[in-house]
Amino acid sequence: MSRLIVVSNRVAPIQEGKPSAGGLAIGVLDALKETGGVWFGWSGEIVGEAADPVLEKSGNVTYATVGLTRRDYDQYYRGFSNATLWPTFHYRNDLSRFDREEYAGYMRVNAGLAAKLKTLLKDDDIIWVHDYHMLPFAQELRKLGIANPIGFFLHIPFPVPEMMRTVPPYEELIAAMCQYDVVGFQTENDKQSFIDYIERTGRGHSSDDDMLQAFGRTLKVGAYPIGIYPDAIAKAAEQFSNRKQVKSLRDSMRGRKLIMSVDRLDYSKGLVERFQAFERLMLNAPGWHGRVSLVQIAPPTRLDVQTYQRIRQNLEGEAGRINGRFAQLDWTPIQYLNRKYERNLLMALLRLSQVGYVTPLRDGMNLVAKEYVASQDPEDPGALVLSQFAGAADQLPGALVVNPFDLSQMSEALERALSMPLAERQARHANMMAPLRENNLSVWRDSFLSDLRSVANAASVTEKTVKTVKQGARRPAAKA
Ligand code: ADQ
């Protein structure tokens, strides 16, 4: 089988056997090990001068990483990727800014990375590129004459055409995306937004089998909802339940109920609205005073992007204000923990809580929602309150689905979750575990790669047919 080449902005710092490695990284790594291959991307380091990739081999997988110069980092990563694309794709174009220089930097870095990858490629490799940092990566490889099959998976939402059009070079970006052979999205909605753009602007058309003819190319588009390994998470959550930190949280609850939220600190995650809906619960249902706490775990990210500094101040302000309003000597309504936890420990903390509170304003999938369900004790599971704007909402039929812009609805859902009878919690939990198992992380990866391999096979069949036809044409006609 052909080698797999994975390209992502960051190469996951995998230390094999370490339980802290994220699920996604493990899933991608498993695919790489199956066929052998290369994982290529930024090392996470800022360097004085661009240099050749550093290669590290582990078994049949090579990690190829490159550093970014300060200018590249500022323009490509901090700038166009995270200050333009990220907010707009999460429907926050009010927070988005556009700077031509940054866009030029984004294109330059993609071109530079493509040139570096080219030196590592073999003719029959298949290439799988990840996420919004890399929208034009295939186009840059094609310019260098690379004809290998290239697939792309977008981890974040793809916005409706009118929102996409607020990014000034929208047309160039979409044309560039059509240089991939397979373009994968988290949900049917995201996929449809992409098709809508192509069709409404008259750039092409789609057929029933999700093939798209656009910008002179034929590509496959598909929804490949990312999953987790639910049984491994269930096991880890149970095993880590007797860890010191879990015990001390359990002791500190002293019979109180626990609502738990875990996110990266990001404005797309709806943290302020979440706190305010909890405040509304405290106002409307004073019977819960002293009987329930909200624990929000949210380590800061992207602190060098200005909007991320503001969200942190804002959130700390809200937690302080709400606690000031309701706290008692022996009860803090909101505990806001600004740090990262080891993965398995986090799963055990999720298991301890009675309510998972996952209410992003917009999210590609949201793996925490899935992890929350998987980490529960099936005999006494917690209930999940989940935003309708997380991709995961399509796949978790047992969740209490809310609109995160409706604080009253969220506060009612919290109350319902806190009071939900055991039999209903068990039924809802079972109802969610089944699809999580059926569509686990391997299914996500295998279905994407199988579509990419089909494209590769179809291309090689066409190539062989073309060769045979040409040879046939040259041969003298056989005598009758
Ligand atoms: P993220 O926006 O990072 O991912 P999410 O899907 O929730 O969002 O994944 C976060 C991961 O980080 C989860 O596995 C979670 O357990 C872990 N994590 C979060 N907070 C943590 C903490 N305090 N300590 C330790 N670990 C923590 C992007 C998209 C999502 C999409 C994923 C995968 O924005 O929509 O689901 O990619 O495709």
Side-chain angles (χ1 to χ4, degrees):
M1 215 191 278
S2 318
R3 281 194 321 172
L4 176 64
I5 311 297
V6 173
V7 180
S8 57
N9 170 58
R10 280 298 301 275
V11 173
I14 294 258
Q15 283 153 320
E16 295 203 30
K18 259 213 145 184
S20 57
L24 171 61
I26 294 166
V28 169
L29 192 60
D30 283 349
L32 278 166
K33 281 183 186 162
E34 234 169 75
T35 55
V38 178
W39 192 339
F40 176 84
W42 178 36
S43 60
E45 276 162 23
I46 306 286
V47 293
E49 237 173 84
D52 287 340
V54 173
L55 305 183
E56 249 178 273
K57 212 165 160 51
S58 165
N60 59 354
V61 178
T62 302
Y63 298 92
T65 53
V66 292
L68 290 178
T69 63
R70 167 62 55 188
R71 176 166 166 259
D72 285 350
Y73 172 83
D74 283 346
Q75 296 183 336
Y76 148 84
Y77 180 77
R78 200 162 71 94
F80 192 70
S81 293
N82 284 317
T84 307
L85 292 178
W86 176 275
T88 306
F89 280 32
H90 287 87
Y91 290 77
R92 290 301 304 270
N93 64 329
D94 58 316
L95 297 179
S96 175
R97 63 147 197 261
F98 176 69
D99 178 302
R100 266 191 199 175
E101 298 287 311
E102 289 177 350
Y103 177 58
Y106 175 83
M107 298 304 284
R108 184 185 66 243
V109 170
N110 268 274
L113 291 175
K116 289 193 164 74
L117 179 65
K118 187 185 173 196
T119 61
L120 306 174
L121 287 178
K122 296 184 181 166
D123 280 352
D124 64 342
D125 286 339
I126 67 165
I127 304 167
W128 188 9
V129 180
H130 291 258
D131 234 356
Y132 58 102
H133 318 83
M134 302 276 165
L135 298 178
F137 195 74
Q139 174 177 277
E140 298 306 325
L141 283 175
R142 302 282 184 229
K143 283 185 197 162
L144 299 170
I146 303 296
N148 301 44
I150 315 177
F152 175 77
F153 182 75
L154 184 67
H155 289 260
I156 65 175
F158 189 82
V160 293
E162 276 311 287
M163 183 59 71
M164 183 67 205
R165 277 149 55 106
T166 65
V167 181
Y170 60 90
E171 178 87 355
E172 276 174 44
L173 290 169
I174 295 210
M177 286 174 78
C178 291
Q179 293 293 325
Y180 288 99
D181 297 295
V182 178
V183 175
F185 301 93
Q186 296 274 23
T187 66
E188 286 293 331
N189 266 344
D190 297 323
K191 181 188 88 182
Q192 197 52 50
S193 296
F194 186 72
I195 296 177
D196 282 352
Y197 177 91
I198 298 286
E199 292 191 332
R200 284 194 205 160
T201 52
R203 302 296 174 208
H205 59 272
S206 65
S207 49
D208 289 345
D209 54 356
D210 279 344
M211 297 307 290
L212 202 59
Q213 259 85 43
F215 294 98
R217 293 198 84 253
T218 301
L219 57 148
K220 167 147 186 91
V221 286
Y224 307 88
I226 193 166
I228 56 170
Y229 290 123
D231 293 309
I233 288 178
K235 202 164 141 204
E238 192 179 358
Q239 278 173 354
F240 275 66
S241 287
N242 54 12
R243 285 292 166 107
K244 204 173 82 209
Q245 295 97 321
V246 184
K247 278 186 183 159
S248 77
L249 178 61
R250 191 183 295 123
D251 293 346
S252 77
M253 295 317 295
R254 287 194 302 262
R256 279 185 197 121
K257 294 206 171 184
L258 183 60
I259 300 172
M260 189 93 177
S261 294
V262 177
D263 309 79
R264 274 184 314 98
L265 185 52
D266 192 293
Y267 48 82
S268 65
K269 303 290 181 184
L271 302 178
V272 169
E273 292 77 0
R274 187 181 300 170
F275 280 12
Q276 289 171 349
F278 179 78
E279 175 184 30
R280 198 161 288 201
L281 173 71
M282 294 299 102
L283 272 175
N284 295 344
W288 285 107
H289 289 191
R291 292 180 49 224
V292 61
S293 287
L294 165 60
V295 172
Q296 171 73 62
I297 297 179
T301 48
R302 303 176 193 164
L303 274 179
D304 50 358
V305 182
Q306 217 185 21
T307 34
Y308 286 78
Q309 296 157 8
R310 275 204 299 273
I311 160 108
R312 184 175 178 175
Q313 288 158 3
N314 213 347
L315 197 63
E316 282 168 2
E318 278 303 274
R321 183 183 65 73
I322 297 166
N323 281 339
R325 191 167 180 193
F326 296 105
Q328 298 165 4
L329 280 176
D330 62 346
W331 172 59
T332 309
I334 299 181
Q335 292 177 38
Y336 172 35
L337 307 170
N338 223 258
R339 51 167 292 194
K340 233 174 151 42
Y341 283 88
E342 200 232 311
R343 194 174 157 72
N344 289 339
L345 181 63
L346 198 62
M347 300 305 125
L349 292 172
L350 291 176
R351 186 182 175 94
L352 194 64
S353 64
Q354 285 68 40
V355 180
Y357 191 22
V358 187
T359 54
L361 303 180
R362 195 63 68 163
D363 217 329
M365 179 53 60
N366 195 300
L367 292 178
V368 175
K370 294 186 169 185
E371 291 163 352
Y372 182 79
V373 174
S375 64
Q376 297 306 298
D377 174 1
E379 300 299 317
D380 184 16
L384 176 64
V385 174
L386 177 61
S387 162
Q388 69 186 82
F389 300 117
D394 288 352
Q395 308 195 330
L396 295 171
L400 297 176
V401 175
V402 294
N403 184 331
F405 298 97
D406 183 345
L407 301 187
S408 300
Q409 190 197 32
M410 277 204 284
S411 113
E412 283 158 16
L414 280 180
E415 198 169 8
R416 185 160 168 222
L418 285 165
S419 328
M420 192 180 281
L422 177 63
E424 183 178 349
R425 282 187 278 124
Q426 286 173 332
R428 284 174 178 270
H429 178 256
N431 212 3
M432 294 192 276
M433 278 304 271
L436 285 182
R437 288 192 175 108
E438 222 167 278
N439 297 302
N440 70 12
L441 187 61
S442 305
V443 172
W444 166 75
R445 183 191 73 205
D446 292 345
S447 55
F448 185 92
L449 288 176
S450 138
D451 282 350
L452 189 55
R453 289 204 169 97
S454 306
V455 171
N457 290 339
S460 84
V461 169
T462 315
E463 203 176 305
K464 277 182 199 146
T465 317
V466 170
K467 273 188 192 157
T468 318
V469 170
K470 279 186 183 160
Q471 280 162 5
R474 263 184 258 120
R475 241 177 265 138
K479 282 189 182 150

